[in-house]
Amino acid sequence: MPRTLRTLLTDDLLERIHERAADHDRDNTFPHEDLRELAEAGYLRAFVPTGLGGAGLSLEEVAREQARLAAAAPATALAVNMHLVVTGLSALLVGRGDDSTAFILRDAAAGEVFAFGNSEAGNDLVMFGSRTRAERQADGGYRFFGTKIFTSLSPVWTRLATFGLDADHPDGPRLVHAVVGRDGTSTRDDWDTLGMRATQSATTVLDGAVAQPEHVYRALPPGPSADPFVFALFAVFEVLLAAVYTGIGRRALELGAAATRRRTSFKFDGRAYSQDPDIRWKVADAALAQDGAELQVFALARDVDEQAEHGARWFAQLVGLKVRATESARVVVDLALRVSGGGAYFTGSELTRLYRDVLAGIYHPSDDESAHGTVATSVLGPLDA
């Protein structure tokens, strides 16, 4: 029996979002109307169980939706991705019997918008260390002091999933993961970037932001961890991130192919460039890369849903997916530009915007160096002491 994949995003909604994307990129503004329409469509509750009023979608289903949304408006997709990462990791944990983050799904069902506040300047340990200070309170809650960068959804989030180091924890230093509200935080007006401008991923300063005891869900030793929360975070983050960049590649291939049919060659007696063997080779190269990216993103998402047996290679599979998907998207966009002619080089070209947007994939965790280290260890074992 063929599987039925559920969808929340209509073609009409995606077209409206697509029409607004260029303006938000040009003006460096947040797509408030996009978020409103996505919320009305139930998309912010995509991972929320049906019993709480959500759609109860699987990771594969949301990954497919994110690729479609990214093809319409990459920055909108990347912004909402962070809300989906937080709710998605909670759904994965709850679905496997861990209710420590169930409050996230209840809050999302009630309309709260989650952001992801973990990245820190100069912290190449990423999730395995933190420059942020976590101060334990008498009631078991925490106050956080530090600076987080790349906080997508900065104008609109109401809940921030974040973490910091409790150096005085009774069990030894612990990385404390929790959710805070807006109180005790401030946002810097510093998001003026090459691409992905509409994400408005501004810097967030935590100056005593409070996590109530019931919103503290992990206190882990620094360094790599086998805790199910860490797996859930990596699985949902890397898969959905890969889906966004795969959506960019999908749209670039579509634009590049359309350009070859539209452009005509003086050298070949007015025939369309789609009939030029050299151009066809480039389009085929782009399609080869794109097909591979799509197949692996959705297959690994399905493996997460079905709890496939990748054993000790799970993290290598996840970080490898991110690197392959983001690099493939860059290749596809580059090839699309090459077959589209000089008109694609002008600022108003959608391909020019995609070219700028796709470069952001370089900066997301896991970066190229970290991913290669993880994969090498999974194949060769750890470095000698």
Side-chain angles (χ1 to χ4, degrees), residues 6 17 19 60 85 122 139 148 171 196 208 224 231 233 237 286 303 341 351-352 379:
R6 296 164 293 176
I17 289 173
E19 289 174 355
E60 182 190 357
V85 167
D139 62 359
K148 303 293 184 176
D171 297 326
M196 290 295 188
F231 174 79
L233 172 59
F237 183 89
D303 279 359
L351 268 174
T352 297
V379 175

Side-chain angles (χ1 to χ4, degrees), residues 20 56 85 105 128 133 177 192 209 273 303-304 344 356:
R20 295 189 286 258
V85 167
L105 298 175
F128 301 144
R133 187 171 82 256
H177 297 264
D192 188 6
Y273 271 98
D303 279 359
V304 174
R356 291 185 287 103

Side-chain angles (χ1 to χ4, degrees), residues 24-76:
H24 287 300
D25 174 73
R26 183 192 64 237
D27 300 337
N28 194 26
T29 53
F30 184 80
H32 290 279
E33 187 72 3
D34 292 359
L35 191 69
R36 182 188 66 78
E37 290 204 66
L38 289 169
E40 289 176 354
Y43 197 56
L44 300 188
R45 301 191 304 277
F47 279 120
V48 174
T50 55
L52 292 176
L57 297 191
S58 68
L59 181 58
E60 182 190 357
E61 288 171 321
V62 176
R64 290 181 180 275
E65 292 284 74
Q66 279 296 87
R68 294 176 65 221
L69 180 57
T76 295

